[in-house]
Amino acid sequence: MIFKRISMLIGLALLTISLVSCSDEPAAPDPEKEAHRRVTMNDVAGEPPMTEDDILLYIKILPEFAPIEDADPAGEMEFYKKYNFTKNRFYYLRSKIANASLIVVGRPPDLSGLPESVHPSDEELEVVKKNFQAIKAATDEFNDISRNR
């Protein structure tokens, strides 16, 4: 009788462990691992289109990102959280703005083989063109800070 109760308790414990481990909630990513994770084209393929608000925020915050990129994993994760970005979204914007900027200056990149979502649309090109000087200034400031850290 005692063995039956013990085996029943063990069974309930195992069932509880199984149910908890099968939860639909995704585990929170380890900030250290997430900061060091390399973003791939597959990661950004499903991102929604870039908006003018995205571009304006990107221009504003890019120089702030320079001292922490690849140097401060915790700071990088705080940066994304502070501006309500994911790492994928931030790198998607970097890629899309860079591609659109190259097109604007007459040096279109080879986008063949890349997901359609990273090809700048006509609307996105117009917004980048409209904000190109500010994008260039933010990029120059980012590069200056990166070189001097």
Side-chain angles (χ1 to χ4, degrees):
M1 174 105 157
I2 192 145
F3 290 114
K4 190 174 185 180
R5 284 187 182 167
I6 291 174
S7 65
M8 198 164 103
L9 287 173
I10 291 171
L12 283 173
L14 290 173
L15 178 62
T16 302
I17 291 169
S18 295
L19 290 175
V20 169
S21 67
C22 293
S23 169
D24 285 342
E25 297 223 2
D30 176 337
E32 181 82 15
K33 286 182 182 172
E34 180 64 7
H36 291 292
R37 178 180 63 85
R38 185 174 179 91
V39 177
T40 67
M41 283 299 129
N42 287 336
D43 293 330
V44 299
E47 288 292 322
M50 180 171 65
T51 66
E52 184 163 15
D53 287 342
D54 287 330
I55 292 171
L56 295 175
L57 180 58
Y58 179 85
I59 291 166
K60 177 182 168 189
I61 66 176
L62 183 62
E64 183 183 333
F65 186 65
I68 58 175
E69 182 180 38
D70 298 329
D72 180 5
E76 188 176 335
M77 294 292 87
E78 281 301 312
F79 173 84
Y80 298 135
K81 186 192 276 185
K82 178 180 176 180
Y83 293 108
N84 200 26
F85 277 123
T86 62
K87 185 171 187 170
N88 289 353
R89 183 68 180 171
F90 186 75
Y91 278 86
Y92 167 82
L93 292 174
R94 279 182 96 173
S95 174
K96 197 106 178 224
I97 290 169
N99 290 335
S101 295
L102 287 169
I103 293 168
V104 166
V105 297
R107 295 185 359 226
D110 179 10
L111 299 174
S112 59
L114 296 178
E116 197 62 37
S117 64
V118 297
H119 295 225
S121 68
D122 292 340
E123 295 83 13
E124 292 167 330
L125 284 170
E126 285 304 313
V127 175
V128 167
K129 189 176 195 177
K130 174 180 162 187
N131 293 285
F132 183 74
Q133 289 307 315
I135 292 168
K136 185 177 179 329
T139 302
D140 289 346
E141 185 177 351
F142 173 88
N143 290 335
D144 289 344
I145 294 168
S146 293
R147 272 192 295 275
N148 295 320
R149 64 174 173 158

